[in-house]
Amino acid sequence: AVKNGIDCFRGSENDILDRFLQAAKKYNTEFIVNVDGDDILCDPELVDKTIKFFTENKNTPDFIKWINLPLGISPMGIKVSALEAVCKMKDTDKTDTGWGKYFTETGKFDVIERTLDKSLQRPDIRLTLDYPEDEKLISIVIERLGKNGNDFNVSDIVKLFVREPKLLDINKNVQKEYWERFNEMSNTKLKQ
């Protein structure tokens, strides 16, 4: 990144929340849009919509999440002042999984849930990259939709799964294991 003139920030490997906070301080920002590294098909239009929603409603959202969309397609927006509050409240330095629960399950933050048109609400589609089956499915999606470059969005992806519903079978067997592991590793302890 440095060699190519791209700013980058490295922080704690295990404490993602602290990493976000330190990056926000370094770049002097009041709002973060997070796209996890395993969500390689995150729709850039949703990043733009998250930013637009925050800038138009600055006094409202502490945390913006997209719901009912394919897993791995959407970003999350975090107000840095809320992130600072969470970092003071958390009782662990291991926040690499399930960190969003600090915002959504504590009742202390203004959480805004956004979604798209009903035709795009497909939470049954899994497009995050955790298992070999996920890599296989994502490769097929890119092969099918990326023929003219990688200029496709959530609408194109949903249309592909409507045309080829058997694609869901490729990684459906890992979904239960994923959520069990996710819930087991989520560590949202707060200081008393």
Side-chain angles (χ1 to χ4, degrees):
V2 172
K3 181 179 171 186
N4 289 299
I6 300 168
D7 280 343
C8 68
F9 176 84
R10 288 188 178 95
S12 172
E13 188 174 322
N14 294 319
D15 193 346
I16 288 178
L17 294 172
D18 183 67
R19 185 185 333 148
F20 291 166
L21 181 58
Q22 299 312 315
K25 287 179 179 179
K26 177 179 178 180
Y27 294 107
N28 193 30
T29 185
E30 64 179 315
F31 184 68
I32 294 170
V33 176
N34 174 68
V35 177
D36 289 336
D38 54 1
D39 294 343
I40 63 173
L41 296 181
C42 181
D43 190 332
E45 291 175 24
L46 294 179
V47 171
D48 292 342
K49 287 179 183 214
T50 303
I51 294 167
K52 183 177 182 191
F53 185 81
F54 176 76
T55 57
E56 291 176 353
N57 301 280
K58 271 190 176 185
N59 295 327
T60 306
D62 292 315
F63 189 78
I64 302 168
K65 67 183 252 182
W66 293 85
I67 59 168
N68 297 327
L69 299 178
L71 182 64
I73 292 294
S74 56
M76 287 177 265
I78 311 162
K79 188 186 285 186
V80 172
S81 59
L83 178 59
E84 286 176 315
V86 165
C87 285
K88 289 176 184 169
M89 293 185 313
K90 67 183 179 61
D91 197 19
T92 182
D93 290 333
K94 185 157 176 46
T95 62
D96 59 331
T97 300
W99 56 265
K101 290 181 178 183
Y102 284 105
F103 298 93
T104 60
E105 294 183 5
T106 60
K108 297 180 181 290
F109 301 99
D110 185 10
V111 177
I112 303 294
E113 293 182 341
R114 308 268 327 206
T115 195
L116 297 174
D117 183 81
K118 193 160 181 70
S119 66
L120 301 176
Q121 295 180 27
R122 290 292 305 268
D124 60 320
I125 299 172
R126 177 188 165 78
L127 292 171
T128 190
L129 184 56
D130 292 303
Y131 301 95
E133 294 90 339
D134 296 331
E135 189 273 332
K136 181 178 179 183
L137 178 59
I138 289 170
S139 294
I140 290 169
V141 169
I142 291 170
E143 177 187 308
R144 301 272 206 290
L145 297 177
K147 295 188 188 298
N148 299 321
N150 288 334
D151 190 18
F152 54 88
N153 61 26
V154 66
S155 177
D156 299 318
I157 290 171
V158 169
K159 287 176 187 172
L160 173 64
F161 279 84
V162 168
R163 284 191 313 268
E164 298 184 49
K166 290 202 178 281
L167 290 175
L168 290 170
D169 295 339
I170 294 172
N171 66 350
K172 75 177 180 183
N173 65 317
V174 301
Q175 192 71 319
K176 182 180 179 204
E177 178 185 341
Y178 169 81
W179 284 115
E180 286 172 358
R181 192 176 118 250
F182 178 89
N183 289 321
E184 179 182 309
M185 293 177 68
S186 295
N187 204 352
T188 56
K189 296 176 187 164
L190 299 175
K191 293 177 185 172
Q192 297 302 321

